[in-house]
Structures are given as C-alpha cells and as structure tokens.
Amino acid sequence: MALILNIQMYFCIFFIIFHAEGKYNTKKNVIIMKYFLRYPGWKNINDVEYIKYWNHEYKFEDVFDKPITSDNCDNFIRYATIFLGCSYANDLTIMFFSLINFQKHCTMLLNSGNSLDSAYNCTVELLAKTIDIVPLAKLMKSALDSIENYHNFPWTNQKQFRYILCEVLTYLQKTGPLIELVPLIINSDAIDAALLIIKRFLLVRREELERDKIHCQLKSTDLISMWHLWNNEFDTLKTQGKYQEFFMFLNDKISSLVQTTYQKKYVDLGFIFDSNTNRTFLPIPTVNLAQNHKNQSINLVKQTNDVDVMEVIKQQDFSQNPSINLVKQNNEVDVVEEMLQEYMAQYSSIDLIQNNNEVNYLDEMLQEYIAKYSSINSNSITMT
C-alpha cells in the first residue's frame, strides 16, 4: 500500500510540475518575451494552421494577440517554441522531399549507363547538399533551446522527454555515415553504395520528423505540384538556351530553401549567435533591465549582411572534419573495402535508432549493402 501511495505522490508531483506553466515568471523575462515576439519575422510563421498542446488547439492569432504577463509568460514561451518548431518542421519536410527526389535523379543517371561522370557529379552534389543542412539544423535546435531557456521548467532540462524537433535535429547533426563516403570514388558500385546510404539517412530522418510533428497541424503544401513547377522551370530554361545539369538546378533550389529559412526564421526573428559557444540567444531590449548585460564579454555575432552564421558553423565543422573536401579519390583502391568494414562495424547492431518500425528497413538496407560489397576487392575496382 505504501508503495502505491508513493507512486501516486510522485505522479501528482510530476503532474503539478508539468502543469505549472504560467506560474509567475520574472518581469525581466516578460519584457524580453514581449520584445522578442514583436519581431517582424513572426509574420513569416504563416505555414502553421494551429498547434496542439495539452489537448488544446491554438491558432497563431489566438495566442500572440494577447498580453503577456508574469503569470502567463511560461505559456507564451511554450507556444512560441511549438509554433516555430512546427514552422521549421514544414521547411524540413520540403527539404527532405527535395533531397529524396534529388537522390532518385542521381540513381536514374547511374542506372541509365550513359555517363558515369554525370552520376558521380550528381552524387557528390547531393552528398554536399545533404551535409550542408547540418548548420541549419544546429541553428534551428539552438533557436528553440534559446526560447525554452526562459521557461520556469524548460524542456531542455527534461532529458527524459523529447520536445518538438529534438530527435530529428539531433540526428541530422550526426552525419558520420555521410562523412565516411568522402572522398567518393568514380566507380559505379561505390556510387551506388553512396546513394543507398544517403537514401537511408534521408528516409530515417523523415520518419523522425513525422514523429516530431505530433504538436503540429501544418497548412497544406502540395509537394508534387512544387516538383512539377521545378521541372517546368528547368524545361523553360533549356528552351532559353540556359542549359545546366538537372542536379545543379536542384542544388540551387535546395540552397535557396535553406537560405530563405535561415533568413526568415532565424535572422528576421532577431536571434543572436555566439560564435564561441555555438549558442543562440534571444534579442535583449535596450532598457534599464538590460543594464547588467552591457558589460558582457560574450562574442555575440549579430546577423547582418556581412556575417553569415551558417557559413561560420560550416567552417567550424570543416575544421573538425578536414576530410569534408569533396574531391575525387586518386589511386586509393582500397577505400570501398575499408568503407564496408567501417559501415559493418558501426551499424551492424543498428542501435542508433530504436524504433521498431525502422529496424526492419535498416536491416534490409544493411543486408543489401553487404550483399553488394562483400565480393568487391581492390582488383575489381576500375578507376576512371
């Protein structure tokens, strides 16, 4: 009986803590949140129909048109986190769709047998573009964390609970399987293997994203129509004599998506980036309450036209991973065998993702990879 009472007591404490939002945040935080939520960038959060939180549905205008006070500040912090996270989810959905179709195009080029160089160049661009999303993922997670840090019970401190986009943004930054593909060999089997690994990476990230969208009701985005528009635009450019490979066209489109998301939903929201710690901070209003912040020695990088935070992050990643130099492999014919051994050693247990629905798929991908490469040796690799 005592054990049951203790369990009930702990459950009550747990329930009270998680329903304690809006219980008297500080006046300083109220002013900061008012200032932050007045930034014009919030007008760009127009791709979210409503959010779902504690079995209630909240529309943007129903939430942000209300005054913020000490007793409801925590609620506004949570709403802001979820609305922005859902908007990020919509952008990631478009990016994953584009990259997956990019991968299909590279696979088509490889299977057509017309030009190994085109398939190679397509795969290299796809690999680089997939890795290029990492800086944006870091900024997205850091931005959401910076909002939550003003909550009395921030989600960032509750490690046993996954909050919005936490899973997909965390695993997007774990690009080890992709980094190991660099530099890529100009060989049909190696290119095929790289495309399979990129496909696996993207599909698993997309599944994580779907699980992370439980709080979101997004406005309808017709991805198929968008893809048709891109194809029509590409055809129009060809008729105008502006010809380029389709994968370069896709590369430009995805770069534009990434840059637009960064500008509208990071820069225009006033987020401040610390290049020393890779942390994001909310903008602080220049009023008396912020007097204590004047003498801070933190190297805060304001987003201006001459500072590209994503480029800063990318260069930091390059310094940590100097092998991310997408150049052709010279004469190292053992790379495919080494890649196979590393892949098998690292992923045979498939313990990175513990969702049952994904295990069978990952196992099939692994078996397909092993079957394709178990017979490859250095003598069978032909260099171009």
Side-chain angles (χ1 to χ4, degrees):
M1 177 63 70
L3 178 61
I4 295 176
L5 291 175
N6 283 336
I7 292 174
Q8 291 176 338
M9 180 185 69
Y10 288 133
F11 179 79
C12 289
I13 293 174
F14 169 86
F15 189 81
I16 291 171
I17 288 175
F18 278 87
H19 279 79
E21 293 148 2
K23 300 302 180 184
Y24 304 107
N25 207 316
T26 66
K27 291 183 178 180
K28 180 183 76 173
N29 288 351
V30 169
I31 294 176
I32 290 173
M33 291 308 300
K34 284 181 178 179
Y35 183 71
F36 172 60
L37 294 177
R38 287 197 192 106
Y39 260 76
W42 284 101
K43 296 178 181 178
N44 295 319
I45 313 300
N46 54 11
D47 46 8
V48 181
E49 190 73 38
Y50 58 83
I51 62 171
K52 293 172 280 188
Y53 185 58
W54 285 117
N55 295 322
H56 288 84
E57 297 176 357
Y58 300 94
K59 291 189 174 182
F60 189 87
E61 58 272 17
D62 295 337
V63 172
F64 291 97
D65 288 344
K66 296 180 180 179
I68 305 176
T69 62
S70 293
D71 62 343
N72 69 10
C73 184
D74 273 1
N75 290 329
F76 277 88
I77 291 169
R78 196 54 44 84
Y79 299 150
T81 301
I82 299 174
F83 266 109
L84 183 57
C86 289
S87 188
Y88 283 160
N90 186 62
D91 297 320
L92 289 172
T93 298
I94 298 172
M95 291 175 199
F96 287 157
F97 175 84
S98 304
L99 287 167
I100 289 169
N101 280 278
F102 197 151
Q103 188 272 345
K104 291 178 180 178
H105 178 71
C106 294
T107 300
M108 183 274 294
L109 289 176
L110 179 64
N111 293 336
S112 68
N114 292 330
S115 174
L116 186 60
D117 281 343
S118 290
Y120 169 83
N121 292 331
C122 182
T123 306
V124 168
E125 291 296 332
L126 171 63
L127 182 58
K129 193 52 54 185
T130 305
I131 294 174
D132 277 353
I133 291 182
V134 172
L136 182 63
K138 288 183 177 181
L139 289 178
M140 285 178 169
K141 188 174 188 306
S142 187
L144 296 175
D145 289 350
S146 70
I147 301 173
E148 276 296 308
N149 286 338
Y150 286 93
H151 198 284
N152 278 319
F153 302 97
W155 271 336
T156 51
N157 294 342
Q158 300 164 21
K159 302 301 181 184
Q160 67 272 38
F161 297 99
R162 184 182 79 242
Y163 69 95
I164 187 165
L165 294 191
C166 179
E167 184 177 15
V168 66
L169 293 179
T170 297
Y171 282 112
L172 260 177
Q173 299 176 47
K174 297 182 182 299
T175 54
L178 304 181
I179 300 301
E180 291 174 3
L181 299 174
V182 181
L184 186 62
I185 300 172
I186 308 180
N187 170 272
S188 60
D189 291 325
I191 295 171
D192 189 40
L195 289 171
L196 285 174
I197 293 173
I198 295 171
K199 177 181 178 181
R200 168 197 177 276
F201 181 84
L202 292 172
L203 291 179
V204 174
R205 298 294 84 80
R206 188 174 66 177
E207 287 298 317
E208 292 163 356
L209 177 61
E210 291 303 314
R211 291 197 296 273
D212 278 342
K213 291 197 300 188
I214 59 173
H215 294 295
C216 311
Q217 180 62 49
L218 302 175
K219 292 183 179 178
S220 177
T221 302
D222 192 342
L223 297 175
I224 303 300
S225 294
M226 182 198 76
W227 185 253
H228 287 321
L229 285 174
W230 284 6
N231 278 279
N232 291 336
E233 182 181 344
F234 179 72
D235 291 337
T236 300
L237 290 173
K238 285 196 300 183
T239 61
Q240 296 173 351
K242 301 175 182 178
Y243 182 79
Q244 61 176 328
E245 292 276 10
F246 186 58
F247 61 80
M248 293 303 299
F249 175 83
L250 293 178
N251 181 78
D252 293 342
K253 286 296 182 182
I254 296 171
S255 293
S256 178
L257 287 172
V258 171
Q259 191 61 37
T260 298
T261 300
Y262 161 65
Q263 180 66 41
K264 289 186 175 181
K265 298 176 185 178
Y266 189 89
V267 177
D268 292 351
L269 284 176
F271 288 114
I272 301 171
F273 180 73
D274 179 357
S275 60
N276 289 330
T277 63
N278 282 342
R279 291 182 60 193
T280 295
F281 296 87
L282 297 191
I284 304 295
T286 54
V287 294
N288 290 336
L289 76 88
Q291 191 71 30
N292 292 333
H293 295 271
K294 285 188 176 181
N295 297 322
Q296 286 181 328
S297 60
I298 298 177
N299 181 25
L300 297 179
V301 182
K302 274 283 190 180
Q303 277 58 254
T304 61
N305 292 332
D306 58 339
V307 175
D308 189 335
V309 172
M310 288 205 296
E311 189 62 31
V312 171
I313 295 175
K314 188 186 301 183
Q315 292 304 319
Q316 291 173 344
D317 287 342
F318 279 10
S319 66
Q320 296 171 6
N321 298 284
S323 64
I324 310 180
N325 181 15
L326 300 179
V327 296
K328 295 181 180 180
Q329 182 73 14
N330 294 326
N331 294 315
E332 301 179 19
V333 295
D334 297 328
V335 171
V336 174
E337 280 295 329
E338 293 174 2
M339 187 169 65
L340 170 63
Q341 296 303 322
E342 292 174 4
Y343 188 93
M344 291 173 63
Q346 187 171 357
Y347 293 101
S348 58
S349 61
I350 316 179
D351 58 357
L352 284 180
I353 308 297
Q354 298 180 359
N355 184 278
N356 291 332
N357 293 331
E358 294 178 275
V359 171
N360 290 336
Y361 170 75
L362 296 180
D363 187 59
E364 290 173 4
M365 292 291 295
L366 179 60
Q367 294 304 320
E368 184 176 356
Y369 184 88
I370 292 174
K372 182 176 290 294
Y373 278 89
S374 59
S375 60
I376 289 183
N377 55 52
S378 59
N379 293 329
S380 65
I381 299 177
T382 59
M383 303 300 297
T384 301

